[in-house]
């Protein structure tokens, strides 16, 4: 059902070809947003953009390595030149390394921090002039339940997602009177390509699912709907908040 909750808004989505990213792009398109969808593979991004256009949306595809300031500048310039501005920034792009503190290689650490943490900051920094010009803008940064609680592994991922959580909060305070709301979404175990091999092997016996009160993995569309709420004017008095979508995993 199209309720046109984003009609008239331009949204930029990173990591748009992944499970959560694609679900978010498809939902935003149905809700009337004009889109610029990005990821590291130009061909796959353009396939997504073409599919959205075939369904009646206005959508541009662009290659974006979120750790590159130059690539961010080009994509934001495209949003300005081709779509006339920007109202919504959805930072989803992310990578994971599962090693603990001693087993994490510095190359893996640097890559996770560059994409998850630096990429989120660069996106906000580069897009902020357009978002401020909107006068009614929203940024949604993707953290994780692993940005709130520890697991005993994935040291770099925890560090990056915890940083995203507090970066979101301080930016929300900084821009609260400038027409830009900034919030974070914290998914729990979600059935995405990032963990699909684990889910295929362990199913609902995967330890984090066992610890989840709802006893299942979440679906990408369930995160997309959280993104939609925070991107839309329905959340107009919400900034600096963390929306946890985890089936109850962090409730105990």
């Amino acid at each position: 059902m199209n309720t046109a909750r984003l009609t008239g808004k331009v949204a930029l989505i990173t990591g748009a070809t992944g499970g959560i990213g694609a679900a978010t792009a498809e939902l935003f398109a149905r809700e009337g947003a004009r889109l610029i969808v990005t990821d590291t593979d130009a061909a796959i991004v353009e396939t997504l953009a073409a599919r959205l256009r075939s369904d009646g949306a206005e959508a541009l595809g662009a290659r974006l390595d979120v750790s590159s300031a130059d690539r961010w500048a080009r994509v934001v310039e495209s949003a300005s030149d081709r779509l006339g501005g920007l109202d919504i920034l959805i930072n989803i792009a992310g990578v994971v390394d599962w090693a603990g503190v001693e087993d994490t290689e510095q190359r893996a650490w640097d890559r996770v921090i560059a994409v998850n943490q630096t990429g989120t900051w660069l996106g906000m920094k580069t897009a902020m002039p357009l978002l401020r010009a909107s006068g009614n803008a929203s940024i949604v940064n993707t953290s994780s339940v692993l940005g709130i609680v520890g697991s005993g592994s994935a040291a770099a991922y925890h560090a990056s997602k915890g940083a995203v959580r507090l970066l979101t909060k301080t930016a929300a305070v900084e821009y609260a009177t400038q027409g830009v709301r900034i919030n974070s979404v914290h998914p729990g175990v979600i059935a995405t390509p990032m963990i699909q091999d684990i889910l295929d092997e362990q199913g609902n016996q995967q330890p984090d699912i066992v610890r989840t009160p709802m006893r299942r993995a979440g679906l990408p569309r369930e995160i997309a709907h959280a993104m939609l709420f925070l991107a839309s004017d329905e959340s107009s008095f919400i900034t600096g908040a963390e929306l946890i979508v985890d089936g109850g995993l962090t409730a105990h």
Side-chain angles (χ1 to χ4, degrees):
M1 181 176 66
N2 183 355
T3 54
R5 294 159 72 185
L6 300 180
T7 295
K9 296 183 182 292
V10 176
L12 191 162
I13 302 173
T14 74
T17 65
I20 293 172
T24 301
E26 291 161 3
L27 179 60
F28 280 28
R30 291 196 299 272
E31 295 292 342
R34 294 183 294 150
L35 295 169
I36 181 163
V37 291
T38 73
D39 217 318
T40 54
D41 190 312
I44 297 175
V45 167
E46 184 49 42
T47 297
L48 171 62
R51 186 171 79 245
L52 296 172
R53 289 193 296 268
S54 71
D55 290 335
E58 183 176 354
L60 305 175
R63 185 176 71 83
L64 175 61
D65 173 356
V66 296
S67 68
S68 167
D70 288 343
R71 294 304 308 180
W72 264 113
R74 293 179 195 177
V75 169
V76 170
E77 183 178 9
S78 293
S80 178
D81 291 347
R82 300 182 64 181
L83 296 176
L86 190 65
D87 306 289
I88 299 165
L89 172 62
I90 308 293
N91 282 312
I92 298 176
V95 295
V96 66
D97 181 78
W98 296 108
V101 171
E102 291 183 74
D103 291 333
T104 298
E105 301 290 338
Q106 184 164 353
R107 179 180 297 179
W109 174 275
D110 290 345
R111 179 59 178 160
V112 171
I113 298 300
V115 174
N116 298 0
Q117 180 175 334
T118 304
T120 298
W121 162 69
L122 279 173
M124 292 197 296
K125 174 183 174 67
T126 312
M128 196 61 76
L130 287 185
L131 294 167
R132 284 191 285 106
S134 163
N136 182 26
S138 175
I139 298 173
V140 184
N141 294 325
T142 306
S143 180
S144 168
V145 293
L146 300 187
I148 298 173
V149 298
S151 72
S153 62
Y157 189 77
H158 274 283
S160 68
K161 293 303 188 178
V164 167
R165 175 175 176 260
L166 283 181
L167 176 61
T168 298
K169 289 182 180 297
T170 195
V173 174
E174 182 176 356
Y175 293 98
T177 61
Q178 299 184 51
V180 184
R181 297 181 299 102
I182 308 169
N183 296 287
S184 57
V185 169
H186 297 251
V189 182
I190 308 299
T192 68
M194 183 180 287
I195 65 165
Q196 195 58 54
D197 288 346
I198 296 173
L199 295 179
D200 288 344
E201 179 182 344
Q202 301 178 13
N204 286 345
Q205 296 307 305
Q206 196 275 337
D208 288 329
I209 293 179
V210 172
R211 288 193 292 270
T212 297
M214 293 183 73
R215 295 294 191 273
R216 67 174 177 85
L219 302 174
R221 63 175 174 78
E222 292 175 303
I223 306 302
H225 279 281
M227 299 282 189
L228 173 62
F229 170 65
L230 292 174
S232 75
D233 292 340
E234 295 166 11
S235 57
S236 57
F237 197 53
I238 300 175
T239 196
E242 51 203 37
L243 180 50
I244 301 170
V245 190
D246 70 348
L249 178 61
T250 57
H252 63 96

